[in-house]
Amino acid sequence: MEQIRCLILDDEPIAITVIESHLNEFKDLEIIAKCRSASEAFEVLRKEKVDLIFLDIEMPKLDGLSFLKSLKDPPLVLITTAHRNFALDGFELDVVDYLLKPIPLDRLMQAIAKVRRQLRTDQEYRSHGFDPLPYIFVKSDRENVKINLRDIRYIESLKNHVKIVTDQKNHITMVSIGEMQHKLPKSLFLRIHRSFLVNLSHIQNYTNTYVVIDRKSFPLGNVYKNTVLEVLDKNRI
């Protein structure tokens, strides 16, 4: 993967210094700008390619969430804040993770791992000719909920319902797994069992009998096994 180009936006110099110090531990992360105001960050985004923003929320003139809402096509975002009460707002804006200050290095490592996974997924989508941010709406809890396809880890059949498992939340909707399989891109989602449909980009390893996603094993059904192994073996060295 190429260098991940980062922008730090925080009005506190000490907070910027802490994040900068932590990022020195990651060889694939490059800090291209350190900004103390939204207007300064706007200028950087206008001129430079940015893959990831470390975004503080409480800032003068324009707060972090308002800044994020104003961006037409934002990069990936990690919220960095001393306040817990903005977490829901952040995730509704599709941030990758929500980090509470002071940010421990191990917690930042977890967040960076998510960023890397998401960037790899975006690359997979582009390589197959898809927009990296396709989405679906599903009816869940009496609402039509938007789900980005890249966030779906796997889909599990529950008779005439399915459970859609994502990074942020699980959704149960009244549709069959067969209907889901029909609607999702075949080059990115693979039926491996009568009960499971998985996102190919989230498979971590596999054998002749199962695949692993997030350290959880999913069995290969006899009907699907040969097709699954044929697809996965194409990318085996």
Side-chain angles (χ1 to χ4, degrees):
M1 184 182 291
E2 297 178 356
Q3 288 290 102
I4 300 172
R5 294 166 58 84
C6 305
L7 182 153
I8 302 173
L9 175 52
D10 200 307
D11 65 320
E12 298 177 2
I14 294 176
I16 292 177
T17 300
V18 170
I19 294 172
E20 185 177 15
S21 175
H22 282 343
L23 293 188
N24 288 333
E25 301 293 325
F26 302 90
K27 293 182 179 180
D28 58 338
L29 269 64
E30 175 187 1
I31 300 172
I32 64 162
K34 295 172 284 185
C35 304
R36 295 185 59 186
S37 70
S39 58
E40 189 180 351
F42 271 125
E43 283 303 303
V44 174
L45 289 170
R46 189 171 65 84
K47 297 175 183 177
E48 301 280 352
K49 175 182 178 291
V50 175
D51 301 307
L52 175 64
I53 299 177
F54 291 85
L55 179 64
D56 186 27
I57 291 181
E58 291 200 328
M59 294 186 296
K61 295 186 178 179
L62 187 66
D63 67 85
L65 293 179
S66 298
F67 167 76
L68 181 54
K69 289 176 184 177
S70 71
L71 300 180
K72 184 178 180 181
D73 187 17
L76 300 182
V77 173
L78 291 176
I79 293 290
T80 60
T81 179
H83 304 280
R84 296 178 179 274
N85 52 317
F86 295 110
L88 182 58
D89 295 315
F91 284 120
E92 285 179 347
L93 291 171
D94 287 336
V95 304
V96 177
D97 211 338
Y98 191 94
L99 305 174
L100 289 173
K101 298 176 181 177
I103 303 168
L105 179 58
D106 61 342
R107 181 66 184 85
L108 180 61
M109 286 179 171
Q110 294 174 7
I112 296 301
K114 289 183 181 180
V115 169
R116 288 172 178 147
R117 284 199 303 267
Q118 196 147 316
L119 288 172
R120 278 196 299 268
T121 302
D122 287 353
Q123 289 173 356
E124 285 285 327
Y125 275 71
R126 289 190 182 98
S127 70
H128 287 93
F130 288 93
D131 183 328
L133 285 176
Y135 58 86
I136 56 173
F137 282 97
V138 300
K139 192 161 189 179
S140 178
D141 295 330
R142 300 182 181 180
E143 294 182 327
N144 292 307
V145 180
K146 180 182 179 182
I147 304 176
N148 290 324
L149 297 191
R150 70 178 180 193
D151 293 337
I152 298 174
R153 318 296 282 185
Y154 63 89
I155 298 169
E156 181 177 0
S157 175
L158 305 173
K159 294 187 177 179
N160 60 337
H161 292 66
V162 293
K163 179 171 71 174
I164 303 171
V165 177
T166 75
D167 287 335
Q168 292 84 25
K169 185 179 178 181
N170 298 341
H171 303 274
I172 294 179
T173 187
M174 196 171 74
V175 63
S176 72
I177 195 168
E179 290 176 85
M180 291 295 300
Q181 181 182 4
H182 178 71
K183 290 183 178 181
L184 295 172
K186 291 181 175 60
S187 58
L188 298 171
F189 287 86
L190 186 63
R191 185 81 173 268
I192 65 165
H193 187 276
R194 61 186 177 85
S195 297
F196 294 107
L197 180 64
V198 303
N199 188 329
L200 279 167
S201 62
H202 290 301
I203 294 177
Q204 295 164 317
N205 47 68
Y206 72 96
T207 70
N208 289 340
T209 57
Y210 63 84
V211 301
V212 176
I213 296 176
D214 295 334
R215 300 181 181 178
K216 179 178 179 180
S217 297
F218 296 84
L220 302 183
N222 290 332
V223 174
Y224 306 96
K225 181 177 180 178
N226 289 340
T227 300
V228 172
L229 293 176
E230 182 180 347
V231 171
L232 296 179
D233 284 346
K234 284 181 182 178
N235 291 313
R236 182 168 59 87
I237 298 174

